[in-house]
Amino acid sequence: MRWNCGVATLVWVFGAAAAVLKPMRQHMFGDVAAAEMHALDMPNAWDAEALFPANIHRAATQALESWITAQDAFSRKHIINNFASSSDGNGDARAGAICASPSRKHPDYYYAWTRDSALVVLEVIAWLDNNKLDYMLKDELKQRLDDYVEFTRHLQGLKNLKYGLGEAKFHMDGTAFRAPWCNAQTDGPALRARAILAYAQYVIKQANGDTTRAHELFSLVRTDLDYVTKVWMHPGNCDIWEESRGMHFYTLLVQKTALEEGARMAHTLDVDNGVAHVYERAAQEIAHKLPEFWD
């Protein structure tokens, strides 16, 4: 019995890990790169259905699916709650700010990290494509996304930031975090560009091809991607874990994906001044750099 419970737990863990990692990779790196990485998750020798008895696998799968359904609703609720809104009456947070955690001590994570916020927005945008989503909830989510866009505009306009757009986090009221931190973290602007690009694509689809709003959004994207083209090759940027400096495979891959998506949107919107070419060239240069991470 103990062995059976242990095996069921293993099946649950493998399934949960796959369920969590696959969408996370899609948000960070795009569908193609994520598919390549997901293919490496579990060799055939670790195929759950082949490895475990059918009754154990079936019971574990049912338990996992039940947990995922409950956890999905719980997580979505708390993700939305982490958006500051103009209707919240929260005087210490600017509308559109997304806290990494509501915890303010032990640990204090009540800040708006550029990276974390962008990943949350990419997830929320994916919800909007769900035709079963209540219209009132969709309207609420779109308002939260519009608030995020304006919060981004505010952050991009802040002056006298030591690391510019590479600042990793901000106070929830939209003011700069001035204490010592591992900066610059240049994956943040790339991920934020991807988030706003995803919203622009959604807006175009909903507007039956009208690109007026998408052009407004792309102006924010350009600010972030123009920055990325200038800093991606710097060897002293901070890594995602905020512990070491150098050139990081993850950061470069995120930047390459953002530049490629930005170039495609530039073509879609028929943006002038060779913007798409600049982004495409930078993405190609990063692509040539990536093989250096393999021995």
Side-chain angles (χ1 to χ4, degrees):
M1 180 64 181
R2 180 179 299 173
W3 184 87
N4 285 351
C5 290
V7 170
T9 301
L10 283 175
V11 176
W12 186 90
V13 169
F14 285 138
V20 170
L21 288 174
K22 186 173 182 181
M24 184 182 297
R25 288 170 180 167
Q26 289 171 329
H27 289 335
M28 285 184 173
F29 307 122
D31 292 336
V32 175
E36 293 171 351
M37 297 171 74
H38 186 62
L40 302 176
D41 281 348
M42 186 182 292
N44 291 336
W46 286 93
D47 179 70
E49 292 188 21
L51 186 61
F52 304 117
N55 62 324
I56 296 175
H57 179 260
R58 183 167 54 253
T61 299
Q62 290 172 348
L64 173 61
E65 290 175 349
S66 177
W67 176 84
I68 288 176
T69 299
Q71 185 64 33
D72 179 76
F74 177 87
S75 297
R76 289 184 188 224
K77 174 185 175 182
H78 286 276
I79 285 174
I80 294 173
N81 288 345
N82 280 4
F83 278 79
S85 167
S86 56
S87 62
D88 290 341
N90 187 350
D92 65 352
R94 190 183 186 100
I98 305 171
C99 64
S101 168
S103 175
R104 304 194 189 204
K105 59 182 179 180
H106 309 305
D108 181 8
Y109 281 150
Y110 191 66
Y111 297 97
W113 263 269
T114 303
R115 173 194 309 110
D116 300 36
S117 300
L119 291 172
V120 168
V121 167
L122 281 164
E123 174 63 19
V124 169
I125 293 169
W127 301 351
L128 292 175
D129 287 328
N130 183 352
N131 292 328
K132 296 180 181 179
L133 204 63
D134 179 82
Y135 281 107
M136 291 183 65
L137 178 56
K138 276 193 175 184
D139 288 342
E140 178 185 355
L141 293 178
K142 286 187 283 188
Q143 182 58 58
R144 302 277 179 163
L145 293 172
D146 286 336
D147 287 343
Y148 170 77
V149 167
E150 293 310 310
F151 186 71
T152 296
R153 193 187 311 278
H154 166 75
L155 295 183
Q156 289 181 344
L158 290 178
K159 306 298 182 183
N160 302 317
L161 297 177
K162 184 176 180 180
Y163 296 95
L165 297 177
E167 294 280 348
K169 67 178 185 177
F170 299 85
H171 292 289
M172 286 290 288
D173 63 0
T175 58
F177 178 81
R178 301 292 185 184
W181 204 256
C182 193
N183 280 305
Q185 296 183 30
T186 57
D187 64 308
L191 283 168
R192 184 167 60 194
R194 292 200 64 223
I196 296 178
L197 282 166
Y199 191 37
Q201 291 172 337
Y202 173 80
V203 166
I204 291 172
K205 183 168 60 176
Q206 295 300 306
N208 296 318
D210 185 347
T211 61
T212 304
R213 175 61 170 156
H215 273 279
E216 296 173 0
L217 295 172
F218 192 69
S219 67
L220 301 179
V221 171
R222 285 189 63 173
T223 298
D224 280 337
L225 292 186
D226 288 352
Y227 169 81
V228 170
T229 63
K230 294 179 175 66
V231 302
W232 72 262
M233 70 294 292
H234 292 179
N237 293 325
C238 194
D239 75 321
I240 186 175
W241 302 116
E242 306 179 322
E243 294 177 345
S244 63
R245 296 187 179 279
M247 296 193 75
H248 307 284
F249 181 79
Y250 152 80
T251 299
L252 290 174
L253 193 56
V254 165
Q255 291 168 338
K256 173 179 175 292
T257 302
L259 289 164
E260 290 169 342
E261 292 178 351
R264 287 196 290 271
M265 182 59 75
H267 285 303
T268 297
L269 299 178
D270 195 23
V271 175
D272 295 329
N273 303 322
V275 172
H277 174 69
V278 171
Y279 297 163
E280 287 164 348
R281 184 176 61 190
Q284 291 167 0
E285 291 172 354
I286 294 175
H288 292 151
K289 184 71 177 177
L290 292 176
E292 296 180 16
F293 287 86
W294 305 99
D295 57 23

